[in-house]
Amino acid sequence: MNKDLSKVRNIGISAHIDSGKTTLTERILYYTDKIHAIHEVRGKDGVGAKMDSMELEKERGITIQSAATYCTWKDIEVNIIDTPGHVDFTVEVERALRVLDGAVLVLCSVGGVQSQSITVNRQMTRYNVPRIAFINKCDRTGANPERVTEQLRDKLDLNAHMMQIPIGLENDLVGMIDLITMKAIYFEGDSGEKIREADIPEDMMDDAVEKREALLEEISMFSEELMEALLEEGDVDVKLINEAVRIATLSLDFTPVLVGSAYKNQGVQLLLDAVESYLPCPTDVTNMALDLKDDEKEFPVTNDPDDPLIMLAFKLEDGRYGQLTYIRTYQGTLKKGDTVYNNRTGKKVKIGRLCRMHSDEMQEIESCGSGDIVALFGIDCASGDTFSSSEISCSMTSMHIPEPVISLAVIPADNKAQINMSKALNRFTKEDPTFKTFVDHETGETIISGMGELHLEVYVERMKREYDALVEVGAPQVAYRETISQRAEFNYIHKKQTGGSGQFGRVGGFMEPIEDEEYEFVDKIVGGVIPREFISSCDKGFKKSLKKGSLCGAAITGVRCVINDGAFHAVDSSDVAFQLAAAGAFREGYLKAKPTIMEPIMKVAVEGPTEYQGAVMGSINQRRGMIIGTTEEGSYSVIEAEVPLSEMFGYSTTLRSLTQGKAEFTMEFATFKPVPKSVSEELIKAYQEERKNG
Amino acid sequence: MGNNEHIVNNPLRALGLEKNAKEDGSQAIMGLVMARAGLGKTAILVQFALDCMLLGNKVLHVSIGEGVEKTRTWYDDILSLLTDGEKIESIPEIMKNRMIMTFKESSFNKALLEERLDDLVQQNIYKPECLIIDGYDFENNSKESLEEMRNFMHERGLKMIWFSAVSHRGDERVSVDGVPAPCHEVDSLFETVLSIKPEGDDMMLDILKCDDCAMDPGTTLKLDPSTMLIQKG
């Protein structure tokens, strides 16, 4: 029997760090009967929240890997991905958004729209994900959901409107008024599981009526039927209002705002109702795939369970059940024992076991259909691979993956650690496309690189805990780049005649800077001065030269190499000879092309009490940072700046001591910019010394 | 990229105020752009700011009631129109001349601005030469507060401060120079007052008052209604 897709919701829960996402998910699982007891993130019972299944997550109180789970609310099947809040793990958030149809943006009622909320919102916009906002922690001192709603409008440019108003705030929070049904809702029982509807308190009636009117006026812009009903001035059908909100939310023109406190068990069930009523089901969303047989032409997936299968592997995990691959099915049906194709590798894969995951517990199933998010066992693939049945060859739209900006050397303590480290790195690189590893052939060290200090720190910790790989780590290194700033000609002859057959090749042309691309090779050879079979040798020679620049040993990017002249020898010319000639030509041209060193610049946002604004600005300035802007809201302020990554090491300690631990910062990669002359000279000197000593 | 490319059609030059941005602050001016809500005051202020930045001045853009991101977008949009789609961030020599500060309407005052500016100047982080104050509440601030702002400009050696003010269709109060409410009683504090007015399909920039301008009061400049850029000629 085909599943009714209108009763499926694939949702993500995203937010700034410490906004209470995991606590909220814990409550959702409790109210949907997936778990039978509530454990807090940093709870005294030592169990930890259900979704934080990695030991490290429980210890740090933050979510590192998004765990997928599903639950049933009323007759709706909800697949949830709990996504991490720290910006270093942004790729996890992005991947989750790629496969989900809707999202809940969780905000802290005190902190409001914070830097990571802006990043997450931008990601949701990038993937056209309809969203509802949940203003959490309304029980906290300083809670102000109205201010947060205003920020959603001002800072995130969302047409956000409160669907509820809280009854009491901070310690006095006891329930909320639903502005659609115009009822007061109270959450009673030990864990808020008993919902009691009552009349709106008299002293709040006027406010509720006024806010409802404003809300309905806004929503009526999206439904003529509702507008007519409002003009008739009778009772407006709740179903009609909800339909209008749904239409507006799906078109990304409206963001319903719900309020509550997951920790105090307030408002979570109403949020689940809103997920059902306002967020899209798989058929509401148009997902596009690329036809690999037709020049990657885009086509919409059908969601039809009878059509050929298309599914995307969006997450890999190697847990206690072995290798797990999380997939989202976009059309067709997958059954245990089916054979599918990995469209990237062209390999056939037989599906052994199929299961639904509930954090780290699983439930085996026989088949899954369109719109489902499930896990497969023992599939060899990388994150982002598209699988399909044999009739079609396609790929889901590629995912946006940022380049790593920081690296450090990891040195295994002994042989056993060496073997375990290799296993761990092999798995981590498959799981996380922003985590990369390679061996530096000059030092023999294994280098890992990623998106930030915490990102790498977590992987080192996981190596120790999950793989028993004891490693020492070197100091973090910034991933510098080299590039050229002007056009330069080259004309290089490679000639060697010392016994045996000789080597000969001449490569002439020029190199010039290009933007937004790492490398381009242009062949303008005419008259066969370099034979066709050696053109690709020139390309190879240039590419090899790009790996290490002569200034500081960093990779070279942004170069177009054009060859337009050359010479060959009928006997002595070979693939190797032309590769070496191209490498020589590159060396010759590179020095004339005014090479410069570029460094990663991070977008940094520091949030904290206004009294520390001067000190924080000073600390940014000392770090070669450029302050872009400051936002002051009462006693709280945000400083946005661009700071070189190399200057940000240890900043958390500095910030803590400057602000008595009251400020926090987030950073994400912004761009590469040329380093100042003094820094460039230091880097060049250090590299020269390293070469001399090495 | 040479700065001259951008200043061919700059508003400071159009008004003859370029010299004030080039000099040392001894000829400081306080300017005002007025219009009804939504007619493009910020676009004009940002053009003045960009002009100042391109002339090598450091600009502090104080936005009252708007976020940093929105203000940045204004700069990107205007610069993009003046160039071939360039963004401020991609031109470091211009970018380093801009800082944005945003405040809530209720919390902004001269003392707070002074405190913030001291933080910047004393730590040698940023020393602004031109100040843009977008969203100043003229209705609820006294003439004394504006006088303080004027003194502040002189004390700090600022070359210019540009304000924006919202005028209302129903309020017909005007000063002798024709400056509408709510600025009709404080117009003496400003050297330059401009007003944006729609005329049919066109947008005009009326020069109501301009002590240092090359143009006489009563002169009108034409704005491109789709971009709000001052048109050549």
Side-chain angles (χ1 to χ4, degrees):
Chain A
M1 192 181 72
N2 287 342
K3 191 159 68 176
D4 180 1
L5 288 179
S6 70
K7 296 199 179 299
V8 175
R9 300 287 179 275
N10 292 319
I11 62 161
I13 300 180
S14 303
H16 187 83
I17 191 165
D18 229 6
S19 297
K21 299 182 303 290
T22 306
T23 306
L24 173 64
T25 312
E26 190 77 2
R27 296 305 186 274
I28 290 175
L29 296 181
Y30 179 75
Y31 296 128
T32 55
D33 290 332
K34 288 302 286 189
I35 56 171
H36 302 292
I38 291 171
H39 304 287
E40 304 307 339
V41 175
R42 291 191 193 93
K44 286 177 189 157
D45 60 6
V47 180
K50 188 82 209 165
M51 293 293 278
D52 285 349
S53 60
M54 278 167 63
E55 250 181 79
L56 203 60
E57 296 182 348
K58 286 179 187 167
E59 203 172 90
R60 284 170 186 254
I62 58 166
T63 310
I64 296 159
Q65 267 190 313
S66 47
T69 192
Y70 88 101
C71 56
T72 312
W73 178 245
K74 296 176 181 170
D75 61 342
I76 299 288
E77 188 182 288
V78 186
N79 288 307
I80 306 170
I81 293 222
D82 182 31
T83 49
H86 195 280
V87 77
D88 282 359
F89 305 109
T90 288
V91 71
E92 296 264 337
V93 184
E94 297 230 13
R95 270 198 236 151
L97 294 178
R98 179 69 188 86
V99 297
L100 294 169
D101 302 318
V104 177
L105 179 62
V106 185
L107 301 126
C108 169
S109 70
V110 184
V113 171
Q114 292 165 283
S115 54
Q116 181 71 355
S117 328
I118 296 172
T119 308
V120 163
N121 185 64
R122 198 171 48 232
Q123 289 160 344
M124 287 181 184
T125 306
R126 180 186 293 156
Y127 293 112
N128 293 324
V129 178
R131 69 215 76 160
I132 51 185
F134 181 68
I135 302 177
N136 196 16
K137 300 193 179 182
C138 285
D139 59 308
R140 287 259 307 268
T141 309
N144 189 346
E146 290 199 22
R147 181 181 68 94
V148 180
T149 309
E150 262 173 47
Q151 290 179 344
L152 285 167
R153 290 190 209 122
D154 296 343
K155 292 189 176 178
L156 302 186
D157 222 5
L158 297 174
N159 185 14
H161 289 268
M162 285 170 80
M163 311 296 285
Q164 306 157 340
I165 46 177
I167 304 174
L169 271 177
E170 304 178 348
N171 271 341
D172 302 329
L173 177 74
V174 290
M176 51 223 47
I177 297 169
D178 185 331
L179 294 175
I180 307 279
T181 60
M182 285 302 266
K183 290 275 177 203
I185 317 270
Y186 299 97
F187 303 88
E188 295 172 346
D190 290 343
S191 307
E193 70 280 5
K194 289 180 194 149
I195 298 173
R196 179 169 65 86
E197 276 192 8
D199 288 338
I200 295 171
E202 254 177 53
D203 60 335
M204 295 187 74
M205 195 51 153
D206 290 348
D207 189 30
V209 168
E210 194 185 315
K211 290 205 162 100
R212 176 186 158 92
E213 271 176 22
L215 175 68
L216 293 191
E217 196 180 317
E218 182 61 37
I219 301 168
S220 65
M221 307 304 262
F222 304 97
S223 162
E224 275 183 29
E225 243 180 296
L226 178 61
M227 196 176 274
E228 278 167 23
L230 286 174
L231 290 172
E232 282 166 20
E233 289 189 354
D235 278 345
V236 185
D237 184 13
V238 168
K239 204 175 150 205
L240 189 61
I241 302 173
N242 279 335
E243 270 171 16
V245 176
R246 182 178 175 79
I247 291 167
T249 309
L250 296 195
S251 61
L252 305 181
D253 291 322
F254 184 83
T255 307
V257 178
L258 292 103
V259 295
S261 163
Y263 184 64
K264 294 278 176 173
N265 307 316
Q266 296 278 336
V268 178
Q269 295 96 324
L270 299 187
L271 174 67
L272 280 164
D273 284 341
V275 166
E276 175 192 353
S277 305
Y278 310 140
L279 288 183
C281 69
T283 49
D284 286 327
V285 178
T286 309
N287 284 297
M288 305 300 283
L290 303 171
D291 189 346
L292 298 177
K293 285 179 182 162
D294 187 10
D295 202 20
E296 300 201 349
K297 205 169 145 192
E298 272 196 334
F299 69 93
V301 298
T302 62
N303 284 309
D304 189 334
D306 298 325
D307 276 345
L309 178 78
I310 299 177
M311 61 189 196
L312 175 73
F314 66 95
K315 185 172 178 57
L316 306 182
E317 251 180 44
D318 206 0
R320 62 170 120 142
Y321 305 112
Q323 166 86 34
L324 270 181
T325 307
Y326 285 87
I327 55 133
R328 152 94 196 237
T329 317
Y330 288 92
Q331 66 175 44
T333 305
L334 178 71
K335 290 190 205 80
K336 210 165 145 180
D338 278 356
T339 300
V340 294
Y341 284 83
N342 181 334
N343 283 289
R344 181 178 60 88
T345 60
K347 283 184 186 163
K348 268 190 203 174
V349 178
K350 191 165 175 159
I351 305 297
R353 288 164 73 194
L354 200 63
C355 61
R356 282 186 192 287
M357 291 305 292
H358 168 214
S359 195
D360 59 346
E361 288 162 22
M362 61 161 201
Q363 174 202 349
E364 282 214 37
I365 52 173
E366 290 300 312
S367 69
C368 72
S370 181
D372 262 336
I373 289 178
V374 297
L376 308 176
F377 274 93
I379 303 290
D380 184 25
C381 68
S383 180
D385 283 356
T386 302
F387 291 93
S388 69
S389 40
S390 56
E391 304 95 298
I392 48 171
S393 170
C394 68
S395 173
M396 295 306 295
T397 323
S398 66
M399 293 187 277
H400 170 85
I401 304 294
E403 278 293 309
V405 290
I406 183 170
S407 62
L408 51 82
V410 281
I411 306 126
D414 50 34
N415 265 351
K416 186 184 153 212
Q418 168 85 55
I419 295 163
N420 290 346
M421 184 180 85
S422 306
K423 280 187 198 162
L425 293 180
N426 187 33
R427 181 183 130 200
F428 297 158
T429 45
K430 275 191 176 176
E431 274 180 20
D432 179 353
T434 60
F435 178 76
K436 293 190 175 154
T437 176
F438 63 94
V439 175
D440 184 332
H441 291 295
E442 281 176 19
T443 60
E445 285 173 335
T446 302
I447 309 290
I448 57 173
S449 50
M451 299 314 295
E453 261 180 304
L454 181 59
H455 191 207
L456 296 185
E457 212 178 287
V458 164
Y459 278 116
V460 169
E461 201 63 33
R462 284 184 63 190
M463 271 189 241
K464 288 180 191 165
R465 292 182 185 214
E466 295 170 33
Y467 285 86
D468 195 19
L470 277 179
V471 292
E472 276 178 35
V473 293
Q477 301 288 325
V478 169
Y480 290 101
R481 299 265 192 282
E482 292 185 25
T483 192
I484 55 171
S485 42
Q486 66 181 33
R487 181 187 148 119
E489 310 264 330
F490 51 73
N491 184 7
Y492 186 84
I493 300 171
H494 173 71
K495 200 171 168 184
K496 203 175 165 194
Q497 275 177 329
T498 46
S501 60
Q503 287 183 8
F504 181 87
R506 180 169 76 84
V507 175
F510 61 90
M511 62 172 65
E512 61 186 0
I514 44 167
E515 275 179 31
D516 305 326
E517 258 183 275
E518 299 214 337
Y519 165 69
E520 192 187 338
F521 173 70
V522 181
D523 165 27
K524 285 195 177 169
I525 295 292
V526 284
V529 288
I530 296 178
R532 298 314 312 161
E533 66 263 36
F534 298 137
I535 298 292
S536 62
S537 313
C538 297
D539 186 18
K540 270 191 225 163
F542 289 135
K543 273 187 187 152
K544 277 186 186 165
S545 308
L546 292 169
K547 286 188 180 154
K548 212 158 202 179
S550 57
L551 295 182
C552 68
I556 301 169
T557 58
V559 180
R560 177 186 289 125
C561 291
V562 181
I563 54 167
N564 54 20
D565 194 11
F568 70 102
H569 185 277
V571 179
D572 291 347
S573 285
S574 64
D575 173 43
V576 173
F578 270 100
Q579 279 194 46
L580 291 169
F586 192 91
R587 267 196 311 277
E588 186 186 301
Y590 189 63
L591 292 176
K592 291 192 279 182
K594 268 202 172 173
T596 51
I597 302 172
M598 313 273 280
E599 63 181 338
I601 304 291
M602 309 302 281
K603 190 177 158 196
V604 176
V606 187
E607 301 176 25
T610 301
E611 61 198 279
Y612 300 111
Q613 191 172 313
V616 171
M617 287 200 294
S619 70
I620 290 171
N621 193 44
Q622 281 166 7
R623 287 173 160 68
R624 293 197 282 125
M626 183 166 61
I627 295 163
I628 309 290
T630 63
T631 306
E632 216 164 308
E633 286 183 2
S635 59
Y636 202 72
S637 70
V638 183
I639 299 163
E640 287 172 48
E642 285 189 353
V643 191
L645 174 62
S646 61
E647 303 284 343
M648 287 303 290
F649 296 139
Y651 187 61
S652 50
T653 315
T654 311
L655 188 64
R656 245 197 318 272
S657 64
L658 272 179
T659 63
Q660 298 175 2
K662 289 178 186 162
E664 60 172 43
F665 81 99
T666 54
M667 64 174 181
E668 63 177 308
F669 171 71
T671 184
F672 274 97
K673 279 188 182 169
V675 296
K677 203 168 171 242
S678 58
V679 179
S680 173
E681 280 165 3
E682 269 176 41
L683 288 169
I684 292 169
K685 199 174 151 200
Y687 180 60
Q688 281 168 351
E689 268 174 30
E690 191 189 307
R691 288 185 71 182
K692 215 189 292 169
N693 300 332
Chain B
M1 176 179 305
N3 290 349
N4 289 337
E5 286 174 41
H6 303 293
I7 50 180
V8 176
N9 191 31
N10 63 65
L12 287 177
R13 185 177 291 174
L15 293 169
L17 293 172
E18 210 175 30
K19 61 182 187 308
N20 303 66
K22 283 180 177 168
E23 284 165 6
D24 57 359
S26 55
Q27 294 227 339
I29 55 161
M30 212 150 98
L32 174 66
V33 179
M34 297 191 74
R36 294 204 311 267
L39 282 189
K41 293 178 292 296
T42 307
I44 301 294
L45 288 184
V46 168
Q47 287 179 65
F48 283 124
L50 275 169
D51 242 4
C52 290
M53 287 157 68
L54 290 161
L55 290 166
N57 296 296
K58 291 206 178 297
V59 170
L60 178 65
H61 187 124
V62 175
S63 187
I64 302 164
E66 284 287 8
V68 172
E69 200 56 45
K70 266 195 182 166
T71 312
R72 286 172 71 165
T73 310
W74 270 112
Y75 279 83
D76 283 339
D77 289 350
I78 300 281
L79 188 71
S80 163
L81 291 166
L82 288 169
T83 60
D84 195 14
E86 294 268 15
K87 286 194 167 187
I88 294 273
E89 279 78 0
S90 58
I91 312 175
E93 54 274 33
I94 303 179
M95 173 79 174
K96 71 177 191 323
N97 286 342
R98 183 198 66 190
M99 188 182 284
I100 299 165
M101 270 189 185
T102 69
F103 295 90
K104 280 188 100 169
E105 286 100 332
S106 54
S107 64
F108 179 79
N109 57 49
K110 182 230 158 197
L112 186 61
L113 178 65
E114 198 165 15
E115 195 183 320
R116 293 289 159 265
L117 213 60
D118 283 344
D119 279 340
L120 294 173
V121 176
Q122 283 167 10
Q123 295 185 83
N124 212 11
I125 299 171
Y126 195 79
K127 188 177 182 307
E129 289 152 306
C130 300
L131 196 57
I132 303 288
I133 301 182
D134 192 11
Y136 186 82
D137 184 358
F138 283 88
E139 289 180 32
N140 294 309
N141 274 304
S142 62
K143 188 170 182 182
E144 287 71 41
S145 317
L146 266 178
E147 275 167 349
E148 280 181 20
M149 290 298 295
R150 201 177 159 82
N151 293 337
F152 170 76
M153 172 176 78
H154 290 300
E155 283 162 18
R156 299 303 170 114
L158 292 166
K159 294 178 182 176
M160 48 181 70
I161 304 185
W162 283 96
F163 287 86
S164 64
V166 186
S167 56
H168 299 284
R169 203 192 291 260
D171 193 338
E172 288 178 358
R173 292 172 296 166
V174 285
S175 72
V176 181
D177 287 326
V179 176
C183 304
H184 60 297
E185 287 176 345
V186 293
D187 64 340
S188 59
L189 296 173
F190 294 96
E191 276 80 15
T192 305
V193 182
L194 311 172
S195 169
I196 306 170
K197 274 190 189 147
E199 272 184 27
D201 289 341
D202 294 325
M203 287 295 259
M204 313 307 280
L205 187 66
D206 285 353
I207 301 169
L208 301 179
K209 186 180 175 192
C210 198
D211 295 350
D212 279 355
C213 288
M215 289 174 180
D216 294 326
T219 313
T220 296
L221 295 171
K222 205 170 176 187
L223 299 169
D224 179 338
S226 59
T227 63
M228 292 306 284
L229 295 183
I230 295 172
Q231 293 192 333
K232 287 182 185 177

